[in-house]
Amino acid sequence: MLAGVAYAQQARPAGQARTRQAVPPAGTRQAVPPATPAATVPATAAGTIRTLRVEGSQRIEADTVLSYTKLRVGAPYTAATLDQALVDLAASDLFADYSISGVETGDIVLRIRENPIINRVILEGNKAIKSDKITKEIKLAPRQIFTRTAVRADVARIVELYRRQGRFAAIVEPKQVSLDQNRVDVVFEIAEGAKSKVRQINILGNEKFTDDQLRGEMATKQSRWFRLLSSNTTYDQDRLNYDQQKLRQFYLTEGYADFRVTSAVAELTPDKRDFIITYVVEEGARYKFGDVSVDSEIRDFDNTKLAASLPIKKGDWYNAKLVEDALDSLSQAAGLFGYAFTQVDPEYQRDKDTLTMGINFHIGQAQRTYVDRIEINGNTQTQDKVIRREIRLGEGDAFNTFQVKRSQDRVNSLGFFQDKFEIKQTPGSAPDRVVLEAPVEEKSTGELQLSAGFSSLERFIVQANVTQNNFRGKGQTLSFGVNYSTYSKSIQAGFTEPYLFDKNIAVGFDVFRQDFNQFNYIGSDRNTTFSQVSTGFQLRAGVPLTEYWQLAGRYKLSYDEVGLANSFLNSDGSCNPLLAGRYLCDSLGNRWTSSVGYSLIYNSLNSGLRPTAGTRFSFSQDFAGLGGDVKYIKTTAQAAKYYGLGSGFVFSLQGEGGYIRSLEKSRGPNIDKVRIIDRFYLGEPNFRGFDIRGVGPRILRIPYITNADGSQQLQTDRSQIQDDALGGRAYYLARAELEIPLGAGARELGLRPTVYVQAGSLFGITRPSLTTNYTVVTDAAGKPIINADGSPRVIGNPITDTAGNTYYTVVSSDATINGLTTTCPTGYSATVGATNCTGTSINTVQRNQPFSERFLGDSPKPRISVGFGVNWTSPFGPLRIDIAKALVKQKGDDDKLITFNVGTSF
């Protein structure tokens, strides 16, 4: 039986003592019974108490029991006084049973049975709410006295917890298990039931807007199959009140100033599984703005100009949001003049005849304020000076709201603190003084990443990176990283001091070694081409020119070693153009690169991590040739503009481009003066919709295949074609992107979806010399045959060394020499290239597989892609998934539909 059942009193015949309830055997589970009714005393009972005693007490002394009543030996008693004694015993919550006997003789006996002691409190059937959460909310606990009142209260509390989760069908049944020594286990048997969904939202009284339009403004949504993962389909009383405010806000922004919700009723269906919510609304008439004026008591303000600058115009439909924006605009304008505590009050003049709403904004008298002091609290690791140097106001300065806002943006951009940092303004020591409070909540600024995995590109990968962005609490950045995979290895370390000697001068350095192997796929086989090993260091420095402009400089020295895989070399170690291509052979060699560069940067973004407003622009140039073996000028520019569209939407326009010009003499005909590793490359991840290095100049080496009838044709399967990206001397890339807001749950998970369109190109290198051309002839049957020397069906060119000697494969019955490579047409020599041939074997000429090389992609025409992406700040690091379609591409480009990137910045 539920503890919530009312406990009725029952009458017994006059003079009859209460009988004790039978105690069930120990260990038996039974429902918690209702409160035991007290016996009523016969109305005729009266007299003087001759004796008074207590029976049945175990833990409680008899005197203590009597102290709860007003009965005393020698005192008169009546039916009323004895009934009151029973009520007093019941109110003590100490007794499970109580009665009075001896009322006829005056020998009064109080018979009691004490409430048991709780041994354990057990919860059964709860899955949606964990036991520890319920235990914190209920009153019953081990070693406390068991009372039915407490059980009833705890049942109600547990039911309320489930209702807060939208489970209105939850049933809680209390049970007790009697134990020896007057102890009990209390068991709450819980049937949670399903969440009560919102089946239907009805709106009555709306004429100007449809039900669907109004439902779209609400946080609560109707339960439908496509909202399976949404939490807004469950009933929530607080959300019901919030939705009424949302309806009112919507109508007020549409001009309906008299709108009101007259009724909001939520009805639970009989099966307690669903709710039906009904709103009754009165829309009223639609108003337009009337006269808009500003009445200021501050002499510095020109009322006419202020009124003209407001986003409200006479004749426009009334919009409460514009009124709020006008209030903010006037408050900010006052703050710019140093008035921190300006009171702006809108005075409405509603005319129901003309349906106009005139507004006069009254700006009260205020004193110009100054910064009394700046208080920083909440920082335990970060030193005060790291925060103070980002605040654009000092103690004693005139107050300025623009500088306060700028200070908030700069502190947020540090990335040391939780989001939503805000500088608060409180009255200071005098009416013209203001205290700026900067309460910060620090977050972890150190990153330790240890990972191992497998990639289709890099095979086995091991990464270890340690970064501390607030080293020693001074805002310094210290980083160290090691990356190892089958085809790339790197180690780097860096340090940045943002304020050298507490001056606004940033300095830093990086040291690195990178070992990279360029490769591509031929079918499922990886084809390694050239390798690049770079070792060096870089020194960096930067100084601010103004609040938004910064000048940065750098010096870099590196030693680059470019080699070729052994499979592309002749036996003497020289590059074989037939195997590697002339463009790769022309790029081999070791050289020093010594360069100096600068960057001019403009940055007004409101956040360096996730900007929603502002502009960033940078112009950079690097000059190589201060010593070393390489001379060039590399110029790049980047720009980005962010617009907050409201409701969490963020639109951005981004663009970048670059050009590199060599200052060296020609390295030969058809050889570009800019080496292949110094050029720009374009593709994934910057240009989504295209593969890594998938845009721009490239050489495709297309092999010939032999058909079943003996004829040859070019391979058409792209996966079987060797594709080498050559890079370019010039590129451009532009992107328009819209970030779409999600619900609170998705935001907490760090999910940020975007849609975008991109356009760009990579171009501008000297057309390289192609390696070979094969002659196409036909046989007697007219079938095409590709060969180099005119011999029927002899496919491919002979392979030769640098001296022009042809390579042969030894054919012999002697297994020790069979298959050897030699330059002897007959027999073999001890060393390749020697002329002292011995033996009589007739050897086979070694020939290259015939192929056709094509130079493609060197075009400034734009490539265009559109796509959808999701950023996720996952526990494993930043992650981004993109689905992008290349709409416009040039011949030779490699497109890619789905890209997946981990550990990059977005």
Side-chain angles (χ1 to χ4, degrees):
M1 182 178 295
L2 289 179
V5 176
Y7 299 159
Q9 290 193 355
Q10 300 174 352
R12 285 192 294 271
Q16 180 179 348
R18 288 187 52 183
T19 58
R20 298 177 181 235
Q21 293 181 342
V23 178
T28 302
R29 180 178 296 193
Q30 62 173 354
V32 176
T36 305
T40 55
V41 179
T44 57
T48 301
I49 300 176
R50 297 173 54 198
T51 61
L52 182 63
R53 59 192 177 89
V54 176
E55 292 183 359
S57 61
Q58 296 178 354
R59 300 186 311 273
I60 305 174
E61 297 290 338
D63 291 341
T64 303
V65 175
L66 293 174
S67 69
Y68 286 101
T69 71
K70 296 180 180 179
L71 302 179
R72 300 292 183 270
V73 175
Y77 68 90
T78 64
T81 57
L82 295 179
D83 280 341
Q84 183 61 44
L86 292 175
V87 171
D88 293 339
L89 290 175
S92 69
D93 273 341
L94 296 176
F95 311 108
D97 191 14
Y98 38 85
S99 63
I100 296 178
S101 64
V103 296
E104 297 87 352
T105 63
D107 296 319
I108 304 299
V109 178
L110 298 180
R111 291 190 174 94
I112 63 170
R113 182 162 57 87
E114 298 173 352
N115 276 327
I117 296 296
I118 298 174
N119 180 56
R120 291 184 301 166
V121 178
I122 303 171
L123 302 172
E124 293 182 353
N126 58 306
K127 295 180 180 178
I129 303 180
K130 300 299 183 183
S131 296
D132 56 351
K133 185 174 182 181
I134 297 177
T135 303
K136 293 178 182 177
E137 298 291 336
I138 62 179
K139 302 297 184 182
L140 294 179
R143 296 183 296 278
Q144 290 185 353
I145 296 176
F146 171 86
T147 67
R148 295 172 180 84
T149 303
V151 171
R152 183 171 62 247
D154 283 351
V155 168
R157 182 58 180 161
I158 295 173
V159 170
E160 178 62 24
L161 289 177
Y162 277 96
R163 287 188 173 186
R164 288 186 180 182
Q165 281 203 351
R167 298 180 184 271
F168 286 80
I171 298 175
V172 180
E173 185 175 358
K175 297 289 183 68
Q176 67 181 45
V177 179
S178 299
L179 305 174
D180 56 1
Q181 298 179 358
N182 199 22
R183 295 175 302 129
V184 294
D185 285 341
V186 180
V187 182
F188 292 102
E189 295 180 352
I190 302 173
E192 296 181 321
K195 281 191 175 183
S196 299
K197 301 290 185 178
V198 177
R199 179 189 298 176
Q200 185 70 31
I201 300 177
N202 299 320
I203 305 173
L204 305 178
N206 55 309
E207 298 178 357
K208 305 300 181 182
F209 301 97
T210 66
D211 289 1
D212 287 339
Q213 285 179 290
L214 298 181
R215 291 188 193 111
E217 297 296 323
M218 300 178 186
T220 303
K221 302 300 180 183
Q222 297 179 130
S223 178
R224 298 294 183 265
W225 66 267
F226 53 84
R227 296 194 180 107
L228 180 64
L229 301 179
S230 174
S231 62
N232 290 341
T233 57
T234 57
Y235 173 75
D236 188 321
Q237 178 63 41
D238 295 335
R239 196 184 296 135
L240 183 69
N241 298 330
Y242 175 71
D243 286 338
Q244 295 180 59
Q245 295 299 320
K246 292 284 288 182
L247 283 175
R248 177 169 173 76
Q249 291 175 8
F250 172 71
Y251 270 94
L252 289 178
T253 59
E254 295 294 333
Y256 296 89
D258 296 329
F259 171 84
R260 67 192 186 101
V261 179
T262 60
S263 174
V265 178
E267 298 176 291
L268 186 61
T269 57
D271 60 3
K272 295 185 179 182
R273 294 182 62 87
D274 297 303
F275 273 89
I276 298 176
I277 301 175
T278 303
Y279 295 95
V280 180
V281 302
E282 290 183 5
E283 293 180 324
R286 193 179 189 188
Y287 287 76
K288 290 186 176 182
F289 282 114
D291 294 326
V292 180
S293 59
V294 176
D295 176 19
S296 173
E297 297 182 19
I298 301 177
R299 296 181 179 179
D300 294 340
F301 292 169
D302 186 322
N303 295 338
T304 304
K305 290 183 178 179
L306 282 177
S309 66
L310 296 178
I312 299 175
K313 304 302 177 186
K314 182 178 180 179
D316 292 344
W317 291 112
Y318 173 76
N319 188 328
K321 179 64 169 59
L322 294 180
V323 177
E324 293 180 5
D325 294 343
L327 291 172
D328 292 339
S329 176
L330 292 173
S331 297
Q332 291 179 8
L336 291 175
F337 284 88
Y339 299 97
F341 304 109
T342 305
Q343 184 69 29
V344 183
D345 298 312
E347 300 171 350
Y348 297 93
Q349 296 94 36
R350 184 181 317 212
D351 190 331
K352 294 188 177 182
D353 295 330
T354 61
L355 295 179
T356 59
M357 183 76 72
I359 303 178
N360 175 59
F361 294 95
H362 178 74
I363 304 176
Q365 181 63 46
Q367 288 183 316
R368 193 183 299 275
T369 50
Y370 299 87
V371 178
D372 193 356
R373 63 185 183 276
I374 301 173
E375 296 180 351
I376 299 173
N377 53 70
N379 55 314
T380 57
Q381 176 184 351
T382 307
Q383 297 183 6
D384 273 13
K385 67 177 182 180
V386 174
I387 304 173
R388 288 184 182 275
R389 66 197 184 195
E390 302 299 332
I391 297 177
R392 315 324 283 171
L393 289 169
E395 295 174 348
D397 291 350
F399 177 81
N400 187 298
T401 53
F402 175 80
Q403 296 290 5
V404 172
K405 179 63 169 61
R406 178 62 180 166
S407 301
Q408 291 177 179
D409 293 343
R410 290 182 65 93
V411 173
N412 277 321
S413 295
L414 291 174
F416 303 160
F417 312 107
Q418 300 292 346
D419 295 340
K420 305 302 181 181
F421 164 77
E422 183 178 356
I423 296 178
K424 300 179 181 179
Q425 305 155 29
T426 59
S429 58
D432 63 343
R433 298 287 173 176
V434 60
V435 175
L436 300 182
E437 295 182 357
V440 298
E441 183 180 352
E442 291 183 319
K443 65 180 182 181
S444 176
T445 57
E447 298 177 5
L448 172 61
Q449 296 181 349
L450 300 174
S451 61
F454 182 84
S455 165
S456 59
L457 290 177
E458 296 290 328
R459 299 294 174 87
F460 287 101
I461 302 172
V462 178
Q463 296 180 337
N465 295 280
V466 180
T467 303
Q468 175 53 260
N469 295 310
N470 190 13
F471 184 56
R472 299 190 298 167
K474 295 184 176 182
Q476 301 167 336
T477 300
L478 181 66
S479 63
F480 177 80
V482 176
N483 297 279
Y484 178 86
S485 71
T486 306
Y487 289 90
S488 65
K489 307 169 185 63
S490 67
I491 181 171
Q492 62 276 338
F495 176 79
T496 301
E497 167 56 69
Y499 275 75
L500 184 64
F501 306 125
D502 290 330
K503 303 295 183 182
N504 201 355
I505 302 174
V507 296
F509 69 88
D510 303 286
V511 293
F512 59 88
R513 179 179 174 88
Q514 299 171 339
D515 187 345
F516 172 76
N517 289 335
Q518 169 70 1
F519 58 84
N520 53 48
Y521 278 107
I522 303 298
S524 59
D525 296 327
R526 181 188 298 263
N527 180 31
T528 303
T529 53
F530 72 91
S531 64
Q532 175 188 348
V533 179
S534 298
T535 307
F537 69 90
Q538 178 176 251
L539 303 178
R540 299 173 275 106
V543 294
L545 302 178
T546 67
E547 176 63 24
Y548 299 105
W549 287 96
Q550 181 183 15
L551 179 65
R554 57 192 165 272
Y555 172 76
K556 181 179 180 181
L557 179 65
S558 65
Y559 183 67
D560 300 308
E561 303 171 74
V562 180
L564 204 59
N566 291 333
S567 59
F568 295 94
L569 300 177
N570 293 316
S571 59
D572 59 357
S574 61
C575 179
N576 189 330
L578 287 176
L579 298 175
R582 295 186 186 279
Y583 55 92
L584 286 181
C585 292
D586 295 336
S587 301
L588 301 183
N590 303 335
R591 76 275 173 80
W592 286 93
T593 301
S594 175
S595 64
V596 62
Y598 73 93
S599 295
L600 188 61
I601 304 168
Y602 174 84
N603 189 351
S604 65
L605 299 180
N606 62 347
S607 172
L609 304 176
R610 294 181 182 176
T612 59
T615 304
R616 191 182 192 281
F617 169 79
S618 67
F619 178 83
S620 304
Q621 284 190 309
D622 289 277
F623 303 87
L626 300 177
D629 307 311
V630 182
K631 297 180 180 179
Y632 61 74
I633 299 177
K634 180 183 289 187
T635 304
T636 57
Q638 296 179 329
K641 177 69 175 178
Y642 293 85
Y643 303 88
L645 304 181
S647 301
F649 288 91
V650 180
F651 178 72
S652 63
L653 291 172
Q654 303 176 52
E656 60 179 289
Y659 180 77
I660 182 170
R661 176 182 175 83
S662 176
L663 302 179
E664 301 179 25
K665 296 180 180 179
S666 173
R667 296 191 293 128
N670 297 328
I671 300 177
D672 200 284
K673 291 191 291 185
V674 179
R675 289 174 173 81
I676 193 170
I677 62 174
D678 294 324
R679 300 170 192 165
F680 298 109
Y681 290 88
L682 192 60
E684 182 193 341
N686 294 330
F687 202 165
R688 302 153 195 165
F690 293 90
D691 206 345
I692 298 174
R693 299 188 174 189
V695 175
R698 61 207 327 100
I699 285 183
L700 300 183
R701 178 172 287 198
I702 310 171
Y704 283 97
I705 58 176
T706 303
N707 299 319
D709 61 0
S711 62
Q712 286 82 37
Q713 67 179 33
L714 288 174
Q715 174 66 262
T716 57
D717 184 356
R718 184 65 182 263
S719 66
Q720 302 295 324
I721 298 173
Q722 181 175 323
D723 183 350
D724 287 323
L726 304 183
R729 286 186 293 177
Y731 86 100
Y732 64 88
L733 179 63
R735 177 168 65 247
E737 189 165 9
L738 178 66
E739 182 175 322
I740 304 172
L742 296 178
R747 287 196 302 270
E748 290 177 1
L749 291 175
L751 293 174
R752 294 180 294 124
T754 62
V755 292
Y756 51 83
V757 58
Q758 291 185 280
S761 186
L762 177 71
F763 55 94
I765 67 170
T766 302
R767 181 182 180 88
S769 297
L770 300 182
T771 303
T772 185
N773 289 311
Y774 288 89
T775 305
V776 179
V777 299
T778 57
D779 60 11
K783 298 177 181 179
I785 300 174
I786 298 89
N787 58 66
D789 56 9
S791 302
R793 297 192 180 279
V794 177
I795 310 301
N797 287 338
I799 301 176
T800 61
D801 61 13
T802 54
N805 300 315
T806 301
Y807 286 116
Y808 296 88
T809 299
V810 176
V811 179
S812 174
S813 58
D814 186 349
T816 60
I817 61 173
N818 184 57
L820 291 179
T821 296
T822 182
T823 52
C824 300
T826 302
Y828 68 97
S829 58
T831 58
V832 178
T835 57
N836 53 336
C837 303
T838 60
T840 59
S841 62
I842 307 300
N843 301 325
T844 303
V845 176
Q846 293 185 2
R847 298 179 182 275
N848 284 312
Q849 176 71 20
F851 59 86
S852 174
E853 281 189 344
R854 296 182 181 179
F855 176 63
L856 302 172
D858 189 16
S859 172
K861 294 181 180 180
R863 286 77 160 172
I864 301 175
S865 68
V866 296
F868 168 81
V870 177
N871 294 318
W872 179 31
T873 307
S874 73
F876 313 102
L879 178 149
R880 181 175 178 113
I881 300 176
D882 283 280
I883 300 176
K885 174 68 174 178
L887 299 181
V888 178
K889 57 183 180 179
Q890 301 300 319
K891 194 171 184 180
D893 290 344
D894 290 339
D895 57 348
K896 188 175 183 180
L897 181 64
I898 300 176
T899 58
F900 179 89
N901 298 297
V902 180
T904 57
S905 299
F906 308 119

